[in-house]
Amino acid sequence: MGQELYDDFLRYLCPTSVEPLGLVIERAEGCFLWTPEGRSILDFISGIAVSNVGHGCPEVLRAIRAQVERHLHVMVYGEMVQEVQVAMAQRLAEITPGDLTTAFLCNSGAEAIEGALKLCRKVTGRPRIIAFAGGYHGDTLGALSLSGEPRYRKPFEPLLPEVHILPFDDPDALRTIDEQVAGVVVEPIQGEAGIRVPGPDFLPTLSARCQEVGALLILDEVQTAVGRTGRWFACEHWGVIPDCLVLAKAVGGGMPLGAFIGRPELMHTLSIDPPFAHVTTFGGHPVSCAAGLAALRVIEQDGLMKNAEAMGAYLRHAISALPGVEGVRGMGVLLGVVLEEPSLTRAVLRLTLERGLLLGDFLNADGVIRVAPPLVVSQELCDQAVEVLAESLKVARKR
Ligand code: PMP
């Protein structure tokens, strides 16, 4: 059954690379994926920072079932009052910093970035957008225009004009941000750049500079939010409050959901001159909102942010000590393992998977391994993963 399905996967689905992971998945629960043959795989990438509450979380499944019984899609976003959508937006207003109390709900990270880009143009009337080297914000044309990796931009040019890319984590370079700038889009911790955590001054300096020149600070927390770094949002580690916060991935509890959230006076500009300046059919789908709300509840009730912090520190300490590892970067369970020999990355990933552990690489970084288990991960599973990684590194380095 597995082989036939795999062949059809190759035949009918548009590929995104010449060597897809190609794991056939039968079911998933907690920190594990299962193949049709009954092989279990320890998932240490969480569907790329999505499954923060683990796979098949009972509370999330219950909330989905209850919402399905009530209603699915009823109308395009923004027209009808759907209780679950209101509850989701209200909960986001409660947990986000400052007075980020108005949420536009959409379907994905790239879509949320597109909305944030339109917001900063609409609010300021200015042309220019600033983004950062190494950054990743999605693959729609607007989001791709912000890519800090030229090889992904190149085949699709011309992209958005007036996008300037600055070096990441260089407070001095921020002086070039001037009154021409509508918005600055930045990940507080760069994800696809191989988990790059900026120094203490970068984000506060950036925030101050944006305020000085009247540009909107847009924080892309698609990968960093919803407890993964040990706080609801990574920006809390620096005490920085953006003008607009961009979310997706884990915020839907495993269902597609995105959001860009800002102060009311900024967000309300999208409803006038002209009305319907930004709309979406499926944005804030009721089933996604139900799942996301349940996930937020579980993260809080089960103390998952504390666990993310503790397990992250534990993994970091253990992995740093392994032969072949140059260092471990990150916060909470958002980690990048820098290998001494970058060319071994693919071999190490193949070897860990053969031994039942799923790790990953990054779009914009070579020689770094992605370690991002669900926030529910236990110390026992961390030990298991470290053991497999140690063994795989040993085998790869001997070859
Ligand atoms: N921003 C960041 C920081 C991301 O990591 C991603 C996805 N990896 C995106 C935006 C795009 O999100 P999506 O794939 O949902 O469009």
Side-chain angles (χ1 to χ4, degrees), residues 48-50 107-113 135-140 143 186-192 220-224 246-249 257-258 363 370:
I48 313 298
V50 170
N107 304 283
S108 69
E111 194 190 341
I113 288 287
Y136 179 83
H137 302 283
D139 275 343
T140 52
V186 67
E187 300 160 83
I189 297 172
Q190 283 193 326
E192 293 310 313
D220 179 345
E221 292 235 22
V222 167
Q223 195 160 155
T224 49
V246 175
L247 305 177
K249 288 191 186 282
L257 184 66
L363 280 171
R370 185 192 301 268

Side-chain angles (χ1 to χ4, degrees), residues 4 99 338 352 360:
E4 201 177 313
D99 47 359
V338 185
T352 58

Side-chain angles (χ1 to χ4, degrees), residues 105-360:
L105 301 176
C106 56
N107 304 283
S108 69
E111 194 190 341
I113 288 287
E114 298 290 337
L117 288 177
K118 283 175 71 177
L119 178 75
C120 68
R121 286 255 175 100
K122 188 87 167 48
V123 165
T124 65
R126 300 173 183 178
R128 193 165 298 160
I129 311 285
I130 304 289
F132 292 90
Y136 179 83
H137 302 283
D139 275 343
T140 52
L141 284 175
L144 182 63
S145 307
L146 310 178
S147 166
E149 179 57 61
R151 75 188 170 116
Y152 290 118
R153 283 203 310 265
K154 204 90 203 127
F156 303 102
E157 287 175 345
L159 295 167
L160 271 188
E162 295 278 358
V163 175
H164 291 199
I165 306 286
L166 298 182
F168 184 70
D169 197 19
D170 179 355
D172 292 338
L174 303 177
R175 279 199 290 268
T176 61
I177 298 171
D178 61 17
E179 277 81 5
Q180 289 287 301
V181 174
V184 177
V185 185
V186 67
E187 300 160 83
I189 297 172
Q190 283 193 326
E192 293 310 313
I195 314 299
R196 289 172 63 197
V197 183
D201 297 335
F202 177 65
L203 290 169
T205 308
L206 177 57
S207 173
R209 186 67 190 156
C210 284
Q211 275 172 38
E212 253 168 51
V213 301
L216 264 54
L217 176 62
I218 298 162
L219 285 187
D220 179 345
E221 292 235 22
V222 167
Q223 195 160 155
T224 49
V226 196
R228 181 151 290 280
T229 70
R231 305 273 178 90
W232 281 124
F233 306 100
C235 62
E236 295 173 44
H237 296 287
W238 288 272
V240 165
I241 300 172
D243 298 294
C244 179
L245 184 67
V246 175
L247 305 177
K249 288 191 186 282
V251 80
M255 293 291 288
L257 184 66
F260 59 104
I261 309 169
R263 294 190 301 279
E265 71 273 17
L266 299 186
M267 299 300 287
H268 287 201
T269 61
L270 292 177
S271 62
I272 49 167
D273 304 327
F276 306 111
H278 193 67
V279 294
T280 161
T281 297
F282 281 124
H285 193 283
V287 179
S288 300
C289 287
L293 259 179
L296 295 180
R297 213 161 37 235
V298 168
I299 289 172
E300 185 153 57
Q301 278 171 7
D302 295 357
L304 296 188
M305 286 183 267
K306 256 202 160 60
N307 194 57
E309 197 175 5
M311 291 304 106
Y314 186 77
L315 280 168
R316 212 183 151 128
H317 181 75
I319 295 174
S320 301
L322 298 180
V325 170
E326 192 177 290
V328 183
R329 306 191 289 231
M331 278 186 173
V333 280
L334 181 68
L335 299 172
V337 179
V338 185
L339 299 185
E340 279 171 6
E341 296 170 66
S343 60
L344 295 186
T345 309
R346 294 210 78 80
V348 172
L349 292 177
R350 206 170 41 246
L351 287 161
T352 58
L353 189 56
E354 277 168 22
R355 290 161 173 76
L357 171 66
L358 180 60
L359 300 173

